C-alpha cells in the first residue's frame, strides 16, 4: 500500500490550496481515507475523513466551512480543498487509509503516506 500526498506549499492568509492523495496497492472505494495534520510541537490531529463508498464525511470543527474533502474513484485519489487558510493551518498534512467507517482518529489508521507541508504566512 502506498499513499502519496502532494499539493502543499506557501500561501498567504485567506488563500487556497488543494492537496491530493494518490493511492496504489489499494482501491480507495473500499477504504476510509483521512487527512491529518501535525503542526510543530503539536500532536497529529484529524482534519477530515471520508468513506468513498458511502460519501460520508467528517470534519474537525476548526476547518468546517473552509475545507472540503472529495474523492475520485476513477483516479483512485482523494483531495482536500482548503480555502480561507489561516496561519494556524500551517502544518505537515498527511493522508491515511483504513477500513471503511473508520472515525477520523489518528489511531484508527494503519496506512500512511508521507506528508506535504502547508505554510500559511504573509
Amino acid at each position: 500500500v502506498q499513499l502519496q500526498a502532494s499539493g502543499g506549499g506557501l500561501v498567504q492568509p485567506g488563500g487556497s490550496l488543494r492537496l491530493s492523495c494518490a493511492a496504489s496497492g489499494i482501491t480507495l472505494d473500499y477504504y476510509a481515507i483521512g487527512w491529518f495534520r501535525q503542526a510543530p510541537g503539536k500532536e497529529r490531529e484529524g482534519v477530515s475523513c471520508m468513506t468513498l463508498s458511502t460519501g460520508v464525511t467528517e470534519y474537525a470543527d476548526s476547518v468546517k466551512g473552509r475545507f472540503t474533502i472529495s474523492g475520485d474513484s476513477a483516479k483512485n485519489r482523494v483531495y482536500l480543498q482548503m480555502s480561507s487558510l489561516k496561519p494556524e493551518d500551517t502544518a505537515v498534512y498527511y493522508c491515511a487509509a483504513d477500513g471503511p467507517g473508520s472515525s477520523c482518529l489518528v489511531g484508527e489508521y494503519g496506512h500512511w503516506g508521507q506528508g506535504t507541508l502547508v505554510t500559511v504566512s504573509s
Side-chain angles (χ1 to χ4, degrees):
V1 177
Q2 283 195 323
L3 300 169
Q4 177 121 16
S6 61
L10 173 64
V11 62
Q12 292 187 341
S16 299
L17 276 177
R18 188 177 79 155
L19 305 183
S20 176
C21 178
S24 59
I26 58 172
T27 300
L28 292 182
D29 274 353
Y30 306 129
Y31 285 79
I33 305 299
W35 284 100
F36 299 82
R37 67 186 181 187
Q38 188 164 18
K42 294 189 176 181
E43 292 187 353
R44 194 171 298 188
E45 63 176 359
V47 175
S48 182
C49 299
M50 76 177 299
T51 298
L52 267 70
S53 60
T54 63
V56 174
T57 60
E58 185 177 347
Y59 293 92
D61 287 342
S62 59
V63 306
K64 280 181 182 176
R66 300 189 298 121
F67 291 10
T68 302
I69 191 170
S70 62
D72 186 330
S73 297
K75 295 183 178 179
N76 215 28
R77 285 177 177 259
V78 173
Y79 303 97
L80 184 68
Q81 178 67 48
M82 306 186 296
S83 302
S84 301
L85 283 161
K86 305 175 181 180
E88 52 263 43
D89 294 318
T90 295
V92 177
Y93 284 71
Y94 301 87
C95 61
D98 214 282
S102 297
S103 297
C104 212
L105 299 172
V106 172
E108 293 203 10
Y109 285 75
H111 304 291
W112 290 84
Q114 92 296 350
T116 185
L117 177 63
V118 173
T119 303
V120 184
S121 175
S122 55

